[in-house]
Amino acid sequence: MIVVVDYGAGNIRSVMNMLKALGAKARIAKDGTELGDATRLILPGVGHFDHGMSQLEARGFLEPLHTRVLNDRLPILGICLGAQLIARRSEEGERPGLGWVAADVVAFDSSRLGPELRVPHMGWAETWAHAPAVTQGKLPDVLADTLGLEARFYYVHSFHLLCDDPDTAVMRAHHGYEFAAAVALDNIMGFQFHPEKSHVHGKTILKAFLDWEPA
Amino acid sequence: MTQQHLVPTPGRPAQGRRVRVIPTLLIDRQGRLVKTVKFGKRAYIGDPINAVRIFNTKQVDELILIDIDASADGREPPYSRIAEIASEAFMPVAYGGGLIFEDQIARTIDCGVEKVILSGALAQGSELIGTAAQRWGSQAVTVCLPVGRNWRGRQQVRLKRGRKALKDDLNTVVTRVTEAGAGEIIVYAIDRDGTWDGYDIDLCARVATATTLPVVACGGAGQLAHFREAVEEAGCAAVAAGSLFVYQARGKGVLISYPAQDRLHSEFFAHLP
């Protein structure tokens, strides 16, 4: 069963709509006791980093999530804020993140953006496979197979992931400079963009996550 | 690996910058899709659900949905209609109309929209913007500034279908909205609405200069060249249009449409700064 973590930070319904459109069976977990029969997890979310972490804690998600992700090694997909929460920390807040990926979350460097580009980065951006991640086999095949020349996704964010090993950021997009569009490590995947709001492009890549069997 | 991977030139994407092109859907108190001219005369367009389904197949960037009667009627947003529309939309949806209390925003977000559009609420100051940004994040809070002229020709923010003018001048309002924590600003030129004559570029530029936020041009778009003007000349981050996407052409019948991606690239994106 696919379980979508609802911690009161974002639009769960859009994710459920897209899963339904894919014909996938999914349910919502409203607190840490409801992860029960999960075989695959989705951690969506928008908003402030600290709000997200404190809500995960308040709803008793922290311990069960650590167990299911790090011990049971369930495939998990973080989306937008959910993708940022898997990092160690964020410039947006004070609270530590989940720390599953050696990465920090940093603000867009507006000095590198040029006058025509603004923050939040809000809109569609073409998104591609990071070439060294492909050659090193860090980009999961399921993702590689979906990324054609036309791949584009909807983004809305003021912060982005910065990975210690840049090749953990397996997909890239551009807003003034190249940033991490997706990270993948072991059984953990994070999308900075919103697959649930990215038409057929999002549908295809969300399906890829559902089909993903991490090594 | 079954496909060739796109590798861009270092530091630049292969196809360049994109800008959001957003259909604006207006619904009336019966939940019907309509199109106005200068916030006045209305034409019946059709069923909004049908329009959203067509916009799905056209892969539109985003949708703006506004109930243009809710605020004037002093009515709640049409929650079930919003939920119905949002569940059909595989692109981000922003809803506006009749949002003056925090719990109305909460119910609207629960309907499945990504953003709320606050406008009439500005009559009570900018407190609601801050409250909403704290709770749902700035990216979820869009402010729409309908701008019209008073009898002396001075441009001012005019709420409630253009009838209620804010006392503060435009720049003051833009600064206040920005500081309150909004995520983007829609500038809706009332006297361009439904005219096909192009955006009010001076107005858009004035707002885009007065804020660091992304600014969405709205009101008057009649061709793709107008989109370029809004971005190149006025510094807007996105463009919205109504008539252009619900009529075949100026003075012609209803046709829900949206330019194909290759046309957007060749006639719009390829020319962006």
Side-chain angles (χ1 to χ4, degrees), chain A residues 11 13-14 116 118 122 124 126 145 152 154 156 174 197 199-201, chain B residues 3 11 15 20 60-62 89-91 112-114 208 211 213 261:
Chain A
N11 193 349
R13 192 181 285 215
S14 294
E116 78 282 11
R118 301 212 163 178
M122 214 184 261
W124 292 76
E126 58 178 301
D145 293 345
R152 61 188 174 93
Y154 189 86
V156 46
H174 195 279
K197 283 288 160 179
H199 291 300
V200 64
H201 310 283
Chain B
Q3 246 174 313
Q15 292 173 28
R20 286 174 290 154
V60 310
D61 289 343
E62 187 170 331
F90 290 112
M91 76 292 269
V113 303
E114 278 64 39
T211 183
L213 295 176
Q261 288 299 318

PDB file of all heavy atoms in Angstrom, chain A residues 11 13-14 116 118 122 124 126 145 152 154 156 174 197 199-201, chain B residues 3 11 15 20 60-62 89-91 112-114 208 211 213 261:
ATOM      1  N   ASN A  11      -0.850  20.415   0.085  1.00  0.00           N
ATOM      2  CA  ASN A  11      -2.012  19.991  -0.639  1.00  0.00           C
ATOM      3  C   ASN A  11      -1.967  18.493  -0.926  1.00  0.00           C
ATOM      4  O   ASN A  11      -1.494  18.050  -1.952  1.00  0.00           O
ATOM      5  CB  ASN A  11      -2.070  20.790  -1.932  1.00  0.00           C
ATOM      6  CG  ASN A  11      -3.397  20.649  -2.612  1.00  0.00           C
ATOM      7  OD1 ASN A  11      -4.199  19.803  -2.233  1.00  0.00           O
ATOM      8  ND2 ASN A  11      -3.619  21.459  -3.615  1.00  0.00           N
ATOM      9  N   ARG A  13      -4.473  16.558  -1.364  1.00  0.00           N
ATOM     10  CA  ARG A  13      -5.495  16.123  -2.304  1.00  0.00           C
ATOM     11  C   ARG A  13      -4.976  16.041  -3.736  1.00  0.00           C
ATOM     12  O   ARG A  13      -5.355  15.145  -4.484  1.00  0.00           O
ATOM     13  CB  ARG A  13      -6.715  17.034  -2.218  1.00  0.00           C
ATOM     14  CG  ARG A  13      -7.889  16.431  -2.961  1.00  0.00           C
ATOM     15  CD  ARG A  13      -9.099  17.319  -2.912  1.00  0.00           C
ATOM     16  NE  ARG A  13      -9.745  17.279  -1.622  1.00  0.00           N
ATOM     17  CZ  ARG A  13     -11.060  17.367  -1.466  1.00  0.00           C
ATOM     18  NH1 ARG A  13     -11.833  17.476  -2.518  1.00  0.00           N
ATOM     19  NH2 ARG A  13     -11.595  17.360  -0.278  1.00  0.00           N
ATOM     20  N   SER A  14      -4.096  16.970  -4.118  1.00  0.00           N
ATOM     21  CA  SER A  14      -3.558  16.928  -5.480  1.00  0.00           C
ATOM     22  C   SER A  14      -2.744  15.656  -5.711  1.00  0.00           C
ATOM     23  O   SER A  14      -2.800  15.059  -6.772  1.00  0.00           O
ATOM     24  CB  SER A  14      -2.658  18.138  -5.732  1.00  0.00           C
ATOM     25  OG  SER A  14      -3.399  19.318  -5.709  1.00  0.00           O
ATOM     26  N   GLU A 116      15.979  39.768 -14.364  1.00  0.00           N
ATOM     27  CA  GLU A 116      14.723  39.277 -14.933  1.00  0.00           C
ATOM     28  C   GLU A 116      14.164  38.079 -14.161  1.00  0.00           C
ATOM     29  O   GLU A 116      13.030  37.682 -14.370  1.00  0.00           O
ATOM     30  CB  GLU A 116      14.905  38.936 -16.416  1.00  0.00           C
ATOM     31  CG  GLU A 116      15.604  37.615 -16.739  1.00  0.00           C
ATOM     32  CD  GLU A 116      17.132  37.648 -16.587  1.00  0.00           C
ATOM     33  OE1 GLU A 116      17.652  38.630 -16.031  1.00  0.00           O
ATOM     34  OE2 GLU A 116      17.777  36.684 -17.011  1.00  0.00           O
ATOM     35  N   ARG A 118      13.120  36.072 -10.583  1.00  0.00           N
ATOM     36  CA  ARG A 118      12.689  36.413  -9.232  1.00  0.00           C
ATOM     37  C   ARG A 118      12.585  35.178  -8.363  1.00  0.00           C
ATOM     38  O   ARG A 118      12.593  34.059  -8.833  1.00  0.00           O
ATOM     39  CB  ARG A 118      11.347  37.129  -9.312  1.00  0.00           C
ATOM     40  CG  ARG A 118      11.478  38.384 -10.173  1.00  0.00           C
ATOM     41  CD  ARG A 118      10.579  39.487  -9.756  1.00  0.00           C
ATOM     42  NE  ARG A 118      11.057  40.729 -10.356  1.00  0.00           N
ATOM     43  CZ  ARG A 118      10.468  41.903 -10.217  1.00  0.00           C
ATOM     44  NH1 ARG A 118       9.381  42.020  -9.495  1.00  0.00           N
ATOM     45  NH2 ARG A 118      10.980  42.970 -10.771  1.00  0.00           N
ATOM     46  N   MET A 122       8.872  30.257  -9.546  1.00  0.00           N
ATOM     47  CA  MET A 122       7.508  29.774  -9.663  1.00  0.00           C
ATOM     48  C   MET A 122       7.212  29.537 -11.115  1.00  0.00           C
ATOM     49  O   MET A 122       7.179  30.474 -11.909  1.00  0.00           O
ATOM     50  CB  MET A 122       6.583  30.857  -9.101  1.00  0.00           C
ATOM     51  CG  MET A 122       5.360  30.336  -8.406  1.00  0.00           C
ATOM     52  SD  MET A 122       4.294  31.687  -7.902  1.00  0.00           S
ATOM     53  CE  MET A 122       4.719  31.890  -6.184  1.00  0.00           C
ATOM     54  N   TRP A 124       7.247  26.555 -14.717  1.00  0.00           N
ATOM     55  CA  TRP A 124       7.717  25.319 -15.341  1.00  0.00           C
ATOM     56  C   TRP A 124       9.175  25.470 -15.738  1.00  0.00           C
ATOM     57  O   TRP A 124       9.596  26.534 -16.177  1.00  0.00           O
ATOM     58  CB  TRP A 124       6.885  25.031 -16.583  1.00  0.00           C
ATOM     59  CG  TRP A 124       5.483  24.682 -16.235  1.00  0.00           C
ATOM     60  CD1 TRP A 124       4.499  25.535 -15.845  1.00  0.00           C
ATOM     61  CD2 TRP A 124       4.908  23.383 -16.214  1.00  0.00           C
ATOM     62  NE1 TRP A 124       3.348  24.845 -15.583  1.00  0.00           N
ATOM     63  CE2 TRP A 124       3.561  23.515 -15.809  1.00  0.00           C
ATOM     64  CE3 TRP A 124       5.389  22.103 -16.501  1.00  0.00           C
ATOM     65  CZ2 TRP A 124       2.708  22.430 -15.681  1.00  0.00           C
ATOM     66  CZ3 TRP A 124       4.534  21.030 -16.389  1.00  0.00           C
ATOM     67  CH2 TRP A 124       3.211  21.183 -15.978  1.00  0.00           C
ATOM     68  N   GLU A 126      12.333  23.122 -17.747  1.00  0.00           N
ATOM     69  CA  GLU A 126      12.790  21.861 -18.311  1.00  0.00           C
ATOM     70  C   GLU A 126      13.804  21.261 -17.343  1.00  0.00           C
ATOM     71  O   GLU A 126      14.531  21.973 -16.647  1.00  0.00           O
ATOM     72  CB  GLU A 126      13.378  22.056 -19.703  1.00  0.00           C
ATOM     73  CG  GLU A 126      14.527  23.015 -19.759  1.00  0.00           C
ATOM     74  CD  GLU A 126      15.090  23.115 -21.166  1.00  0.00           C
ATOM     75  OE1 GLU A 126      15.515  22.084 -21.678  1.00  0.00           O
ATOM     76  OE2 GLU A 126      15.093  24.216 -21.719  1.00  0.00           O
ATOM     77  N   ASP A 145      14.637   6.451 -17.716  1.00  0.00           N
ATOM     78  CA  ASP A 145      13.768   6.055 -18.819  1.00  0.00           C
ATOM     79  C   ASP A 145      12.643   7.041 -19.084  1.00  0.00           C
ATOM     80  O   ASP A 145      12.030   7.031 -20.142  1.00  0.00           O
ATOM     81  CB  ASP A 145      13.181   4.658 -18.545  1.00  0.00           C
ATOM     82  CG  ASP A 145      14.259   3.593 -18.572  1.00  0.00           C
ATOM     83  OD1 ASP A 145      15.354   3.893 -19.074  1.00  0.00           O
ATOM     84  OD2 ASP A 145      14.010   2.478 -18.088  1.00  0.00           O
ATOM     85  N   ARG A 152       9.466  18.514 -18.539  1.00  0.00           N
ATOM     86  CA  ARG A 152       9.397  19.781 -17.804  1.00  0.00           C
ATOM     87  C   ARG A 152       8.417  19.610 -16.662  1.00  0.00           C
ATOM     88  O   ARG A 152       7.468  18.829 -16.737  1.00  0.00           O
ATOM     89  CB  ARG A 152       8.984  20.928 -18.723  1.00  0.00           C
ATOM     90  CG  ARG A 152       7.625  20.758 -19.355  1.00  0.00           C
ATOM     91  CD  ARG A 152       7.376  21.839 -20.400  1.00  0.00           C
ATOM     92  NE  ARG A 152       6.124  21.592 -21.093  1.00  0.00           N
ATOM     93  CZ  ARG A 152       4.955  22.116 -20.740  1.00  0.00           C
ATOM     94  NH1 ARG A 152       4.867  22.923 -19.696  1.00  0.00           N
ATOM     95  NH2 ARG A 152       3.851  21.836 -21.399  1.00  0.00           N
ATOM     96  N   TYR A 154       6.568  21.531 -12.866  1.00  0.00           N
ATOM     97  CA  TYR A 154       6.180  22.768 -12.204  1.00  0.00           C
ATOM     98  C   TYR A 154       6.936  22.907 -10.876  1.00  0.00           C
ATOM     99  O   TYR A 154       6.913  22.005 -10.047  1.00  0.00           O
ATOM    100  CB  TYR A 154       4.674  22.790 -11.934  1.00  0.00           C
ATOM    101  CG  TYR A 154       4.201  24.140 -11.446  1.00  0.00           C
ATOM    102  CD1 TYR A 154       3.869  25.139 -12.348  1.00  0.00           C
ATOM    103  CD2 TYR A 154       4.107  24.435 -10.088  1.00  0.00           C
ATOM    104  CE1 TYR A 154       3.460  26.393 -11.920  1.00  0.00           C
ATOM    105  CE2 TYR A 154       3.700  25.683  -9.642  1.00  0.00           C
ATOM    106  CZ  TYR A 154       3.380  26.650 -10.567  1.00  0.00           C
ATOM    107  OH  TYR A 154       2.973  27.885 -10.135  1.00  0.00           O
ATOM    108  N   VAL A 156       7.770  25.481  -7.447  1.00  0.00           N
ATOM    109  CA  VAL A 156       7.521  26.693  -6.676  1.00  0.00           C
ATOM    110  C   VAL A 156       8.324  26.593  -5.379  1.00  0.00           C
ATOM    111  O   VAL A 156       8.015  25.806  -4.504  1.00  0.00           O
ATOM    112  CB  VAL A 156       6.008  26.960  -6.443  1.00  0.00           C
ATOM    113  CG1 VAL A 156       5.258  25.739  -5.994  1.00  0.00           C
ATOM    114  CG2 VAL A 156       5.787  28.109  -5.502  1.00  0.00           C
ATOM    115  N   HIS A 174      17.181  24.754 -14.120  1.00  0.00           N
ATOM    116  CA  HIS A 174      17.923  26.000 -14.197  1.00  0.00           C
ATOM    117  C   HIS A 174      17.040  27.171 -13.817  1.00  0.00           C
ATOM    118  O   HIS A 174      15.936  27.325 -14.336  1.00  0.00           O
ATOM    119  CB  HIS A 174      18.420  26.182 -15.638  1.00  0.00           C
ATOM    120  CG  HIS A 174      19.476  27.223 -15.803  1.00  0.00           C
ATOM    121  ND1 HIS A 174      19.174  28.563 -15.877  1.00  0.00           N
ATOM    122  CD2 HIS A 174      20.826  27.129 -15.896  1.00  0.00           C
ATOM    123  CE1 HIS A 174      20.305  29.241 -16.017  1.00  0.00           C
ATOM    124  NE2 HIS A 174      21.319  28.400 -16.032  1.00  0.00           N
ATOM    125  N   LYS A 197       1.316  18.124 -10.173  1.00  0.00           N
ATOM    126  CA  LYS A 197       0.753  19.272 -10.881  1.00  0.00           C
ATOM    127  C   LYS A 197       1.498  19.528 -12.175  1.00  0.00           C
ATOM    128  O   LYS A 197       1.592  20.647 -12.637  1.00  0.00           O
ATOM    129  CB  LYS A 197       0.810  20.514  -9.972  1.00  0.00           C
ATOM    130  CG  LYS A 197      -0.269  20.485  -8.919  1.00  0.00           C
ATOM    131  CD  LYS A 197      -1.633  20.742  -9.551  1.00  0.00           C
ATOM    132  CE  LYS A 197      -2.770  20.276  -8.686  1.00  0.00           C
ATOM    133  NZ  LYS A 197      -4.086  20.553  -9.304  1.00  0.00           N
ATOM    134  N   HIS A 199       1.080  17.731 -15.252  1.00  0.00           N
ATOM    135  CA  HIS A 199       0.476  17.070 -16.410  1.00  0.00           C
ATOM    136  C   HIS A 199       1.044  15.671 -16.632  1.00  0.00           C
ATOM    137  O   HIS A 199       1.378  14.973 -15.688  1.00  0.00           O
ATOM    138  CB  HIS A 199       0.658  17.925 -17.677  1.00  0.00           C
ATOM    139  CG  HIS A 199      -0.146  19.188 -17.655  1.00  0.00           C
ATOM    140  ND1 HIS A 199      -1.515  19.190 -17.561  1.00  0.00           N
ATOM    141  CD2 HIS A 199       0.218  20.486 -17.701  1.00  0.00           C
ATOM    142  CE1 HIS A 199      -1.947  20.436 -17.562  1.00  0.00           C
ATOM    143  NE2 HIS A 199      -0.914  21.240 -17.624  1.00  0.00           N
ATOM    144  N   VAL A 200       1.209  15.327 -17.918  1.00  0.00           N
ATOM    145  CA  VAL A 200       1.658  13.980 -18.260  1.00  0.00           C
ATOM    146  C   VAL A 200       3.116  13.767 -17.838  1.00  0.00           C
ATOM    147  O   VAL A 200       3.520  12.664 -17.484  1.00  0.00           O
ATOM    148  CB  VAL A 200       1.460  13.719 -19.777  1.00  0.00           C
ATOM    149  CG1 VAL A 200       2.332  14.642 -20.608  1.00  0.00           C
ATOM    150  CG2 VAL A 200       1.690  12.269 -20.123  1.00  0.00           C
ATOM    151  N   HIS A 201       3.892  14.872 -17.806  1.00  0.00           N
ATOM    152  CA  HIS A 201       5.296  14.755 -17.382  1.00  0.00           C
ATOM    153  C   HIS A 201       5.360  14.288 -15.921  1.00  0.00           C
ATOM    154  O   HIS A 201       6.129  13.402 -15.559  1.00  0.00           O
ATOM    155  CB  HIS A 201       5.995  16.114 -17.502  1.00  0.00           C
ATOM    156  CG  HIS A 201       5.802  16.763 -18.828  1.00  0.00           C
ATOM    157  ND1 HIS A 201       6.490  16.373 -19.941  1.00  0.00           N
ATOM    158  CD2 HIS A 201       4.975  17.759 -19.233  1.00  0.00           C
ATOM    159  CE1 HIS A 201       6.102  17.113 -20.974  1.00  0.00           C
ATOM    160  NE2 HIS A 201       5.176  17.958 -20.564  1.00  0.00           N
TER     161      HIS A 201
ATOM    162  N   GLN B   3      17.201   5.799 -23.602  1.00  0.00           N
ATOM    163  CA  GLN B   3      16.993   7.062 -24.298  1.00  0.00           C
ATOM    164  C   GLN B   3      18.246   7.908 -24.234  1.00  0.00           C
ATOM    165  O   GLN B   3      19.027   7.797 -23.308  1.00  0.00           O
ATOM    166  CB  GLN B   3      15.886   7.833 -23.596  1.00  0.00           C
ATOM    167  CG  GLN B   3      14.656   8.003 -24.437  1.00  0.00           C
ATOM    168  CD  GLN B   3      13.565   8.636 -23.604  1.00  0.00           C
ATOM    169  OE1 GLN B   3      13.316   8.230 -22.482  1.00  0.00           O
ATOM    170  NE2 GLN B   3      12.944   9.634 -24.151  1.00  0.00           N
ATOM    171  N   GLY B  11      25.528  25.427 -17.501  1.00  0.00           N
ATOM    172  CA  GLY B  11      24.966  26.640 -16.932  1.00  0.00           C
ATOM    173  C   GLY B  11      23.722  27.153 -17.615  1.00  0.00           C
ATOM    174  O   GLY B  11      23.071  28.050 -17.119  1.00  0.00           O
ATOM    175  N   GLN B  15      16.731  24.708 -23.850  1.00  0.00           N
ATOM    176  CA  GLN B  15      15.686  25.440 -24.563  1.00  0.00           C
ATOM    177  C   GLN B  15      15.429  26.828 -23.977  1.00  0.00           C
ATOM    178  O   GLN B  15      14.501  27.505 -24.391  1.00  0.00           O
ATOM    179  CB  GLN B  15      14.397  24.626 -24.565  1.00  0.00           C
ATOM    180  CG  GLN B  15      14.517  23.374 -25.413  1.00  0.00           C
ATOM    181  CD  GLN B  15      13.297  22.487 -25.273  1.00  0.00           C
ATOM    182  OE1 GLN B  15      12.212  22.960 -25.010  1.00  0.00           O
ATOM    183  NE2 GLN B  15      13.503  21.196 -25.431  1.00  0.00           N
ATOM    184  N   ARG B  20       5.454  31.494 -17.338  1.00  0.00           N
ATOM    185  CA  ARG B  20       4.103  30.924 -17.221  1.00  0.00           C
ATOM    186  C   ARG B  20       3.094  31.706 -18.063  1.00  0.00           C
ATOM    187  O   ARG B  20       3.069  32.932 -18.011  1.00  0.00           O
ATOM    188  CB  ARG B  20       3.637  30.946 -15.765  1.00  0.00           C
ATOM    189  CG  ARG B  20       4.302  29.903 -14.900  1.00  0.00           C
ATOM    190  CD  ARG B  20       3.903  30.098 -13.459  1.00  0.00           C
ATOM    191  NE  ARG B  20       4.490  31.314 -12.909  1.00  0.00           N
ATOM    192  CZ  ARG B  20       3.966  32.006 -11.906  1.00  0.00           C
ATOM    193  NH1 ARG B  20       2.837  31.632 -11.354  1.00  0.00           N
ATOM    194  NH2 ARG B  20       4.567  33.086 -11.467  1.00  0.00           N
ATOM    195  N   VAL B  60      -1.749  23.299 -20.146  1.00  0.00           N
ATOM    196  CA  VAL B  60      -1.525  24.700 -19.776  1.00  0.00           C
ATOM    197  C   VAL B  60      -0.675  24.776 -18.507  1.00  0.00           C
ATOM    198  O   VAL B  60      -0.662  23.870 -17.690  1.00  0.00           O
ATOM    199  CB  VAL B  60      -2.838  25.495 -19.586  1.00  0.00           C
ATOM    200  CG1 VAL B  60      -3.757  25.313 -20.769  1.00  0.00           C
ATOM    201  CG2 VAL B  60      -3.530  25.129 -18.304  1.00  0.00           C
ATOM    202  N   ASP B  61       0.027  25.883 -18.357  1.00  0.00           N
ATOM    203  CA  ASP B  61       0.998  26.030 -17.273  1.00  0.00           C
ATOM    204  C   ASP B  61       0.354  26.067 -15.896  1.00  0.00           C
ATOM    205  O   ASP B  61       0.910  25.561 -14.919  1.00  0.00           O
ATOM    206  CB  ASP B  61       1.780  27.346 -17.458  1.00  0.00           C
ATOM    207  CG  ASP B  61       2.739  27.258 -18.627  1.00  0.00           C
ATOM    208  OD1 ASP B  61       3.039  26.137 -19.072  1.00  0.00           O
ATOM    209  OD2 ASP B  61       3.190  28.317 -19.082  1.00  0.00           O
ATOM    210  N   GLU B  62      -0.785  26.708 -15.800  1.00  0.00           N
ATOM    211  CA  GLU B  62      -1.383  26.999 -14.506  1.00  0.00           C
ATOM    212  C   GLU B  62      -2.755  27.589 -14.795  1.00  0.00           C
ATOM    213  O   GLU B  62      -3.011  28.030 -15.919  1.00  0.00           O
ATOM    214  CB  GLU B  62      -0.482  28.028 -13.793  1.00  0.00           C
ATOM    215  CG  GLU B  62      -0.829  28.341 -12.377  1.00  0.00           C
ATOM    216  CD  GLU B  62       0.278  29.179 -11.695  1.00  0.00           C
ATOM    217  OE1 GLU B  62       1.449  29.065 -12.067  1.00  0.00           O
ATOM    218  OE2 GLU B  62      -0.075  29.948 -10.790  1.00  0.00           O
ATOM    219  N   ALA B  89      -7.934  19.213 -12.504  1.00  0.00           N
ATOM    220  CA  ALA B  89      -6.816  20.007 -13.024  1.00  0.00           C
ATOM    221  C   ALA B  89      -5.468  19.379 -12.648  1.00  0.00           C
ATOM    222  O   ALA B  89      -5.133  19.300 -11.471  1.00  0.00           O
ATOM    223  CB  ALA B  89      -6.892  21.433 -12.481  1.00  0.00           C
ATOM    224  N   PHE B  90      -4.704  18.946 -13.648  1.00  0.00           N
ATOM    225  CA  PHE B  90      -3.365  18.421 -13.368  1.00  0.00           C
ATOM    226  C   PHE B  90      -2.311  19.486 -13.598  1.00  0.00           C
ATOM    227  O   PHE B  90      -1.225  19.238 -14.112  1.00  0.00           O
ATOM    228  CB  PHE B  90      -3.112  17.151 -14.175  1.00  0.00           C
ATOM    229  CG  PHE B  90      -3.954  16.012 -13.679  1.00  0.00           C
ATOM    230  CD1 PHE B  90      -4.977  15.498 -14.446  1.00  0.00           C
ATOM    231  CD2 PHE B  90      -3.757  15.498 -12.412  1.00  0.00           C
ATOM    232  CE1 PHE B  90      -5.778  14.475 -13.966  1.00  0.00           C
ATOM    233  CE2 PHE B  90      -4.544  14.475 -11.930  1.00  0.00           C
ATOM    234  CZ  PHE B  90      -5.572  13.957 -12.695  1.00  0.00           C
ATOM    235  N   MET B  91      -2.683  20.700 -13.209  1.00  0.00           N
ATOM    236  CA  MET B  91      -1.753  21.828 -13.208  1.00  0.00           C
ATOM    237  C   MET B  91      -2.127  22.657 -11.980  1.00  0.00           C
ATOM    238  O   MET B  91      -3.207  22.482 -11.424  1.00  0.00           O
ATOM    239  CB  MET B  91      -1.865  22.616 -14.519  1.00  0.00           C
ATOM    240  CG  MET B  91      -3.085  23.507 -14.656  1.00  0.00           C
ATOM    241  SD  MET B  91      -4.642  22.606 -14.799  1.00  0.00           S
ATOM    242  CE  MET B  91      -4.829  22.419 -16.558  1.00  0.00           C
ATOM    243  N   GLY B 112      -8.273  21.526  -2.684  1.00  0.00           N
ATOM    244  CA  GLY B 112      -7.264  21.000  -3.593  1.00  0.00           C
ATOM    245  C   GLY B 112      -6.619  22.042  -4.489  1.00  0.00           C
ATOM    246  O   GLY B 112      -6.019  21.688  -5.494  1.00  0.00           O
ATOM    247  N   VAL B 113      -6.721  23.320  -4.135  1.00  0.00           N
ATOM    248  CA  VAL B 113      -6.013  24.328  -4.929  1.00  0.00           C
ATOM    249  C   VAL B 113      -4.643  24.608  -4.297  1.00  0.00           C
ATOM    250  O   VAL B 113      -4.452  24.415  -3.103  1.00  0.00           O
ATOM    251  CB  VAL B 113      -6.808  25.653  -5.068  1.00  0.00           C
ATOM    252  CG1 VAL B 113      -8.176  25.393  -5.674  1.00  0.00           C
ATOM    253  CG2 VAL B 113      -6.921  26.376  -3.748  1.00  0.00           C
ATOM    254  N   GLU B 114      -3.698  25.039  -5.131  1.00  0.00           N
ATOM    255  CA  GLU B 114      -2.339  25.310  -4.643  1.00  0.00           C
ATOM    256  C   GLU B 114      -2.211  26.700  -4.049  1.00  0.00           C
ATOM    257  O   GLU B 114      -1.371  26.936  -3.201  1.00  0.00           O
ATOM    258  CB  GLU B 114      -1.334  25.178  -5.787  1.00  0.00           C
ATOM    259  CG  GLU B 114      -0.902  23.752  -6.078  1.00  0.00           C
ATOM    260  CD  GLU B 114      -2.032  22.873  -6.547  1.00  0.00           C
ATOM    261  OE1 GLU B 114      -2.876  23.346  -7.309  1.00  0.00           O
ATOM    262  OE2 GLU B 114      -2.079  21.703  -6.132  1.00  0.00           O
ATOM    263  N   ALA B 208       6.046  46.004 -11.201  1.00  0.00           N
ATOM    264  CA  ALA B 208       7.220  45.120 -11.187  1.00  0.00           C
ATOM    265  C   ALA B 208       8.442  45.829 -10.607  1.00  0.00           C
ATOM    266  O   ALA B 208       9.315  45.197 -10.011  1.00  0.00           O
ATOM    267  CB  ALA B 208       7.515  44.611 -12.600  1.00  0.00           C
ATOM    268  N   THR B 211       8.214  46.048  -6.547  1.00  0.00           N
ATOM    269  CA  THR B 211       8.271  44.836  -5.732  1.00  0.00           C
ATOM    270  C   THR B 211       9.387  43.917  -6.215  1.00  0.00           C
ATOM    271  O   THR B 211       9.806  44.001  -7.379  1.00  0.00           O
ATOM    272  CB  THR B 211       6.932  44.069  -5.766  1.00  0.00           C
ATOM    273  OG1 THR B 211       7.023  42.924  -4.905  1.00  0.00           O
ATOM    274  CG2 THR B 211       6.587  43.604  -7.171  1.00  0.00           C
ATOM    275  N   LEU B 213       8.755  40.689  -5.849  1.00  0.00           N
ATOM    276  CA  LEU B 213       7.984  39.466  -6.088  1.00  0.00           C
ATOM    277  C   LEU B 213       7.736  39.262  -7.586  1.00  0.00           C
ATOM    278  O   LEU B 213       7.751  40.216  -8.355  1.00  0.00           O
ATOM    279  CB  LEU B 213       6.628  39.561  -5.389  1.00  0.00           C
ATOM    280  CG  LEU B 213       6.650  39.630  -3.869  1.00  0.00           C
ATOM    281  CD1 LEU B 213       5.232  39.830  -3.341  1.00  0.00           C
ATOM    282  CD2 LEU B 213       7.244  38.357  -3.296  1.00  0.00           C
ATOM    283  N   GLN B 261       3.097  24.133 -27.685  1.00  0.00           N
ATOM    284  CA  GLN B 261       4.422  24.374 -27.092  1.00  0.00           C
ATOM    285  C   GLN B 261       5.421  24.932 -28.103  1.00  0.00           C
ATOM    286  O   GLN B 261       6.170  25.859 -27.793  1.00  0.00           O
ATOM    287  CB  GLN B 261       4.982  23.090 -26.483  1.00  0.00           C
ATOM    288  CG  GLN B 261       4.284  22.665 -25.201  1.00  0.00           C
ATOM    289  CD  GLN B 261       4.393  23.700 -24.097  1.00  0.00           C
ATOM    290  OE1 GLN B 261       5.437  24.301 -23.879  1.00  0.00           O
ATOM    291  NE2 GLN B 261       3.290  23.934 -23.379  1.00  0.00           N
TER     292      GLN B 261
END
